[in-house]
Amino acid sequence: MLDTLVRRVLDGDAVSVTEFGRLQAVHTPARRARNPQTGEGVLVPAGRRIVFRPGTAFTAMARGERPVPEAGRSAVRRLRRARNAQPVSRDHK
């Protein structure tokens, strides 16, 4: 799974992982910088960097606003089910 994720991001695609976040390669233009040891100006070539934007659920868990689900493969599914669950009516027979 990680191999596919890395290849997709490096190919220029944005990859979203539900309940976790989004990874995307972003182009950085060439720029001038300064060598802190010598003070000499240097040219930094254009390139790309990887940007991660955490999802709302991940951010809420990191802030303590939402409980962290139990460990295990189906933890995200349990969280999603609990969030989408409808109250069960007991009136029908």
Side-chain angles (χ1 to χ4, degrees), residues 5 10 31-32 35 43 48 62 64 91-92:
L5 185 138
L10 294 179
R31 61 186 171 85
R32 281 218 153 287
N35 181 334
L43 180 64
R48 59 184 166 175
D91 296 336
H92 68 285

Side-chain angles (χ1 to χ4, degrees), residues 28-45:
T28 57
R31 61 186 171 85
R32 281 218 153 287
R34 186 180 66 81
N35 181 334
Q37 290 183 334
T38 64
E40 178 184 350
V42 294
L43 180 64
V44 177

Side-chain angles (χ1 to χ4, degrees), residues 13-79:
D13 297 333
V15 178
S16 294
V17 179
T18 305
E19 303 287 333
F20 182 67
R22 178 184 176 126
L23 285 164
Q24 184 174 13
V26 177
H27 173 74
T28 57
R31 61 186 171 85
R32 281 218 153 287
R34 186 180 66 81
N35 181 334
Q37 290 183 334
T38 64
E40 178 184 350
V42 294
L43 180 64
V44 177
R48 59 184 166 175
R49 61 189 178 93
I50 306 301
V51 176
F52 173 71
R53 292 194 173 106
T56 54
F58 186 36
T59 302
M61 285 182 238
R63 290 180 179 159
E65 299 166 356
R66 184 180 206 165
V68 177
E70 296 175 26
R73 288 181 50 176
S74 62
V76 171
R77 274 187 262 146
R78 281 194 303 268
L79 180 65

